[in-house]
Amino acid sequence: MDHSKRERHRVERSRKRKERQRRAAQAAQGAARAYRGWEAADLAHALFREGNTREALPAAAQAIILAPRDASIAALYVRIAERSRDSAHRHRAMEHYLEVAEPNVTILIALAGLHLDGGNIARASELLAWAREIFPRRMRERKTWVAALQQLQTRYASMQATAKPAAPSVDQLQLFQKRRGHDEPARAAPPAPAAAIDTPTTAESPPTETVTAPSPEELPLPHRLEIPVGIGTAIEGMQTLGSCQFSSLEEVRLATLAAQLRDAESFDHLLAIDQARGLLRLSHQEETARKVLSIHLGRALLADEVGLGKTIEAALVLSEYLLRGRVRRALILTPPSLVGQWREELASKFGIDTQTTERPEVRADPEAFWKAPGVLIASLATVRNPRHKDLAAAQAWDLVIVDEAHNLKNAHTQSYALVSRLTSRFLLLLTATPIENQVEELYNLVSLLRPGHLGGRAEFLRRFSNRKGETSEAARREIRGLLGEVMIRNTRALSGVQLPPRFARTTLVEPRESEHRLYLALASALRALGPGGHARFRLSVLLQEAGSSPDAVRSTLERLRSDPDLPPETAAALAPTIAAARQPTETAKGQALLRVLQTEPVPTVVFARFRATLDYLTALLARHGVACERIDGELPAALRHEAIARCRERRAVLLSTDVGSEGLNLQFCQRLVNFDLPWNPMRIEQRIGRLHRIGQDHPVEVVNFCLAGSIEERILRILDERINLFELVVGEVEMILGHLEDERGFADIVLDAFAQPDAERRERDFERIGDALAAARARYQNVKTFDENFFRNELGV
């Protein structure tokens, strides 16, 4: 079987699997709605028996909305509406009963009388004809109903003779009824509520001339129409505007307004897709955005598995609302490490300019930042600060997006209190793990979106969990049905997204003697100065530069040597380092890179953090005749795309900084070389995500260089041995780090350990870091497994 045939079979199997899962999800949602309908019907029946018709009526009306095909609930609604004598509810109850139950002559005659009283003679005629067809030969009180039928026919004939406006025909009314849903196939009726509900045999009394006519204001709108109505399902407003003849400017204005209204409320065609740049179109992402916009009305919990693009889905919703004018001010709340990633994604793919809390002006004038128009991106940690939380809560937002929303699972935290104070029309919560091990966590998240959707907290916990907080499989099925109205969860099994394999290897490079001397001098300075202060920050930067290349650290040391404000103790500690940097220094990693590139010439991207390192690599490759292109933060965005296009055509090596690659898809590359390693593992993961992402057709090779004895070697060993960093799906590192109990950033944790003067204690600290990471990975894996078992692929699009 050739490749194309196998692919067709795979696509067909995926389509059938999605269809089965969609039907199962719809069935679960329908069952949950029906259960709520039965509960409402039980309440209505109990109130009705107590004589409390006023409160029973809205409960019964709610019940038929939740269980629209249940004939017994429809019968209960008729009985309660008749007792209440509320004309609008009587109309609605009887019409609904005729939709879902066998035609009943008493209902037909009573409803015809109401329509005649309201002046809707066409509908009354239809109902009278229907009653004559099914009128029984034997029936208690037959004579009374025969008289009532004759009386109504007489009234109908007299009203028809004097009627001036053209009433809609029976065919037109049937078309209108069909458009309202009468053509839906009847579903199997769910079991009746616990309370017995009798099918109505009659109204409280037969319809006679004493029936009170409802006022025009009380009549339901569909039966007040006195002109023929045609309803179209796919009318393009501007096309209609262009094809009609108008006699006045006012008619043109009204037609234009109609087109705008239609376009504003229909999300079949996403404007954001047309406006996006460099966006890989994935059906599950587009369908998720449409579902959020049209069904969930902009308030939803997006719980896709890691790596399926929750950020893109939320960005599509944001962009669509901005383009349609539905959103003017939006707030995006993320962990601190993701602020830059959100800014980059919105700018590069959707052309959305944002302001972030990373800007230095925010500290100087926070009030101006929070009052700024447009889209703001802030870290949750920043907004929790007393200087910011009241300012953020005081603003009126059109849309709020919360990334990594599992941080809100505890209703007693500052983060939850902050988000619950925010006022917004639309709200999106993004998390791959909406529940860790307690259903109360799920309740807390849903309550932010739709308070009361899951009922009261105590009742929800009593109903769906035991004293230990555990849930049965039956309870999980019911919860999934309720969540269908507020949550979307796509999985790889549902979406069919599969990535090619990824392979990683680390090359431990022994430094040259001069390079080794320089690095030891920096490490000694760090341990001599101790933790804290500006000296620690400077030394951490110098160590990162030394791990990249001697050229990168040399220029920084030269600037420090001429700095008059450098503290004396820092200058003394750095003196041996400055002396070592003056000597010509070669890096062994350069030769290692040449060996990798010459072994197997495949499209390759080489990442380095510092421009001085890129200068060194550009010159090195030129000397050895290796074609290369270079991109960094100083190169304009348009020129970056041109450089990548040349690189793809020439099969050249791409040299890039982390900043230079922002917003670029590098799937044409098959090999990634980390010439240096960021201390933050999320930065490593983001580099990998430039290549190993949806759209990559080839296996990806990841090659890591690090100097023996450096802090990068310790970091890499911990990440590789304890959490298998290079085997994780892109996005899982953030989830694992989120389970670390230490509130410090990972880079600060490892720097503190590396700065320990005592070698034995230094080893113990690194061992503790490794144990903490392994425990965090285990906790994340438990949560991931729990979520997979809890949701079972039932809530995808």
Side-chain angles (χ1 to χ4, degrees):
M1 186 183 296
D2 60 17
H3 176 73
S4 60
K5 193 171 183 179
R6 287 198 302 271
E7 180 64 17
R8 287 197 302 272
H9 285 181
R10 186 193 67 79
V11 171
E12 181 63 18
R13 289 195 301 270
S14 176
R15 185 191 66 78
K16 290 181 179 179
R17 182 174 64 252
K18 291 179 183 178
E19 180 63 21
R20 289 194 301 269
Q21 292 164 343
R22 183 183 66 81
R23 288 197 297 267
Q26 289 177 342
Q29 294 171 19
R33 288 177 62 87
Y35 185 86
R36 292 170 59 196
W38 303 335
E39 285 189 327
D42 282 337
L43 175 61
H45 189 265
L47 293 170
F48 182 60
R49 294 185 62 181
E50 294 171 1
N52 191 351
T53 307
R54 182 176 180 181
E55 294 186 12
L57 195 58
Q62 179 70 11
I64 67 165
I65 293 175
L66 294 170
R69 294 294 171 185
D70 193 308
S72 58
I73 294 179
L76 174 65
Y77 187 28
V78 170
R79 294 177 60 196
I80 296 175
E82 283 296 289
R83 176 71 61 83
S84 73
R85 313 302 298 172
D86 184 297
S87 58
H89 277 282
R90 292 174 67 199
H91 273 85
R92 182 183 179 191
M94 293 181 187
E95 290 281 9
H96 177 72
Y97 182 83
L98 292 178
E99 294 175 10
V100 300
E102 289 295 325
N104 183 303
V105 68
T106 59
I107 295 292
L108 291 171
I109 293 176
L111 186 57
L114 289 175
H115 279 298
L116 283 178
D117 292 335
N120 192 345
I121 58 177
R123 178 61 173 161
S125 173
E126 180 186 358
L127 293 170
L128 290 172
W130 195 357
R132 284 194 299 272
E133 290 177 4
I134 65 171
F135 202 85
R137 294 185 177 276
R138 294 182 180 181
M139 176 180 173
R140 186 179 299 178
E141 302 174 343
R142 174 181 170 83
K143 293 182 179 179
T144 302
W145 287 106
V146 169
L149 180 60
Q150 292 173 345
Q151 186 180 45
L152 288 176
Q153 288 175 326
T154 302
R155 290 179 57 196
Y156 163 70
S158 62
M159 293 178 67
Q160 189 179 38
T162 58
K164 294 182 181 180
S169 67
V170 173
D171 290 340
Q172 291 164 345
L173 281 168
Q174 288 176 343
L175 174 62
F176 183 76
Q177 296 286 339
K178 188 176 181 181
R179 292 295 188 186
R180 291 173 60 206
H182 289 225
D183 57 338
E184 293 180 6
R187 303 172 188 169
I197 302 174
D198 300 327
T199 303
T201 57
T202 178
E204 292 295 327
S205 59
T208 64
E209 62 273 17
T210 60
V211 175
T212 304
S215 64
E217 292 77 9
E218 294 175 320
L219 290 173
L221 182 59
H223 306 306
R224 294 297 310 281
L225 293 175
E226 297 180 350
I227 58 173
V229 175
I231 298 179
T233 58
I235 300 174
E236 289 294 341
M238 298 312 294
Q239 292 180 5
T240 303
L241 180 63
S243 62
C244 295
Q245 300 293 326
F246 301 97
S247 59
S248 68
L249 183 62
E250 179 64 15
E251 291 183 2
V252 175
R253 188 187 69 79
L254 291 175
T256 305
L257 178 60
Q260 292 173 342
L261 288 173
R262 187 265 176 190
D263 293 339
E265 297 303 324
S266 172
F267 295 101
D268 293 337
H269 177 73
L270 295 181
L271 305 178
I273 295 293
D274 298 334
Q275 298 292 324
R277 301 189 300 268
L279 183 67
L280 289 173
R281 297 193 60 172
L282 300 176
S283 59
H284 76 274
Q285 293 177 348
E286 295 182 23
E287 289 305 316
T288 295
R290 288 192 183 94
K291 191 172 183 180
V292 170
L293 293 163
S294 58
I295 298 177
H296 297 312
L297 304 180
R299 299 184 74 89
L301 174 60
L302 304 185
D304 290 3
E305 282 185 336
V306 172
L308 291 182
K310 293 184 293 296
T311 302
I312 296 298
E313 292 166 356
L316 280 171
V317 174
L318 170 61
S319 178
E320 193 72 21
Y321 276 146
L322 288 171
L323 290 170
R324 293 174 183 263
R326 302 285 295 275
V327 165
R328 298 186 182 278
R329 299 195 70 221
L331 173 63
I332 301 172
L333 298 174
T334 78
S337 57
L338 297 180
V339 171
Q341 183 176 329
W342 269 92
R343 174 186 52 76
E344 171 199 333
E345 290 286 320
L346 292 178
S348 62
K349 291 184 172 62
F350 298 94
I352 300 175
D353 293 328
T354 59
Q355 299 187 55
T356 75
T357 49
E358 292 179 336
R359 298 171 54 193
E361 307 92 87
V362 176
R363 296 182 181 178
D365 191 356
E367 186 172 358
F369 170 78
W370 289 109
K371 290 184 177 180
V375 180
L376 308 184
I377 305 176
S379 70
L380 267 170
T382 299
V383 185
R384 288 197 305 263
N385 187 290
R387 295 187 65 201
H388 295 275
K389 62 181 181 181
D390 291 334
L391 293 172
Q395 305 301 313
W397 305 102
D398 297 315
L399 169 63
V400 171
I401 299 173
V402 183
D403 198 3
E404 304 298 340
H406 49 267
N407 294 317
L408 309 177
K409 64 187 178 183
N410 187 341
H412 302 291
T413 61
Q414 293 184 17
S415 295
Y416 189 94
L418 169 69
V419 175
S420 64
R421 289 180 61 195
L422 298 177
T423 303
S424 66
R425 296 171 57 199
F426 310 119
L427 174 62
L428 299 179
L429 303 180
L430 282 56
T431 175
T433 54
I435 178 172
E436 186 167 338
N437 50 29
Q438 300 288 334
V439 291
E440 185 175 7
E441 299 163 355
L442 198 57
Y443 181 91
N444 293 335
L445 292 177
V446 174
S447 296
L448 289 173
L449 292 163
R450 293 189 186 178
H453 178 71
L454 299 178
R457 183 186 300 272
E459 174 64 20
F460 177 83
L461 296 178
R462 181 193 64 77
R463 179 174 162 190
F464 293 114
S465 64
N466 57 25
R467 293 181 178 179
K468 297 181 180 179
E470 300 169 338
T471 57
S472 65
E473 181 55 36
R476 293 180 183 183
R477 284 197 300 270
E478 190 174 341
I479 291 173
R480 290 196 292 269
L482 293 172
L483 290 175
E485 301 178 27
V486 73
M487 175 177 166
I488 303 173
R489 179 178 175 81
N490 294 305
T491 63
R492 284 177 175 77
L494 270 177
S495 62
V497 173
Q498 297 294 334
L499 292 178
R502 185 175 77 209
F503 308 98
R505 59 188 174 94
T506 297
T507 300
L508 192 62
V509 180
E510 288 294 334
R512 304 281 176 85
E513 183 180 353
S514 57
E515 192 176 9
H516 182 58
R517 211 167 34 244
L518 175 62
Y519 202 93
L520 281 181
L522 282 171
S524 299
L526 173 68
R527 291 160 185 162
L529 290 171
H534 291 290
R536 172 192 170 91
F537 172 75
R538 285 171 172 164
L539 284 169
S540 69
V541 173
L542 288 168
L543 279 170
Q544 292 173 64
E545 291 175 332
S548 180
S549 70
D551 293 55
V553 72
R554 185 180 295 113
S555 58
T556 303
L557 285 172
E558 290 295 332
R559 288 196 303 272
L560 284 176
R561 187 182 63 170
S562 58
D563 185 1
D565 298 327
L566 191 67
E569 62 275 12
T570 304
L574 288 176
T577 306
I578 294 173
R582 291 176 181 170
Q583 302 173 8
T585 308
E586 285 293 329
T587 176
K589 289 198 292 185
Q591 299 303 314
L593 175 62
L594 289 174
R595 287 194 296 271
V596 168
L597 296 177
Q598 293 167 358
T599 301
E600 186 179 359
V602 298
T604 301
V605 57
V606 180
F607 277 109
R609 289 193 60 193
F610 304 100
R611 284 197 296 270
T613 302
L614 285 192
D615 293 339
Y616 163 75
L617 291 176
T618 303
L620 176 69
L621 296 183
R623 288 198 304 270
H624 289 81
V626 179
C628 67
E629 293 287 341
R630 168 179 170 165
I631 56 176
D632 57 39
E634 292 187 344
L635 190 68
L639 297 182
R640 297 180 200 178
H641 289 282
E642 293 179 7
I644 289 177
R646 290 193 303 270
C647 188
R648 185 186 295 109
E649 293 171 3
R650 300 168 55 198
R651 297 181 66 84
V653 175
L654 180 64
L655 304 176
S656 176
T657 61
D658 295 313
V659 175
S661 65
E662 287 182 352
L664 300 178
N665 296 325
L666 306 179
Q667 292 97 321
F668 72 95
C669 293
Q670 299 172 34
R671 180 195 289 137
L672 181 154
V673 176
N674 285 311
F675 193 79
D676 54 27
L677 283 163
W679 294 0
N680 185 343
M682 286 190 59
R683 293 290 184 186
I684 303 175
E685 185 186 62
Q686 288 167 8
R687 288 180 176 181
I688 297 172
R690 301 292 178 196
L691 280 69
H692 197 238
R693 63 196 304 166
I694 299 171
Q696 176 61 263
D697 298 323
H698 303 280
V700 172
E701 180 187 14
V702 179
V703 180
N704 306 302
F705 292 149
C706 67
L707 290 177
S710 66
I711 189 173
E712 286 84 2
E713 180 193 0
R714 307 305 299 268
I715 292 173
L716 198 59
R717 184 182 302 171
I718 290 173
L719 295 176
D720 198 15
E721 293 178 356
R722 297 306 185 95
I723 66 172
N724 298 324
L725 169 67
F726 299 104
E727 297 178 12
L728 297 173
V729 175
V730 173
E732 287 189 313
V733 168
E734 169 66 20
M735 307 296 294
I736 292 172
L737 295 182
H739 284 84
L740 281 176
E741 297 179 355
D742 198 319
E743 295 184 356
R744 295 173 297 168
F746 184 78
D748 290 330
I749 296 174
V750 295
L751 182 61
D752 286 345
F754 192 76
Q756 283 293 338
D758 182 69
E760 187 176 341
R761 184 175 177 183
R762 188 160 60 243
E763 292 301 319
R764 286 199 304 269
D765 286 351
F766 275 113
E767 190 66 25
R768 277 196 294 269
I769 295 172
D771 292 341
L773 273 178
R777 164 100 195 232
R779 283 194 293 271
Y780 165 68
Q781 191 61 46
N782 290 337
V783 172
K784 180 182 176 182
T785 303
F786 183 86
D787 276 29
E788 290 172 353
N789 293 332
F790 192 100
F791 296 111
R792 293 186 180 276
N793 293 344
E794 290 189 9
L795 294 164
V797 294

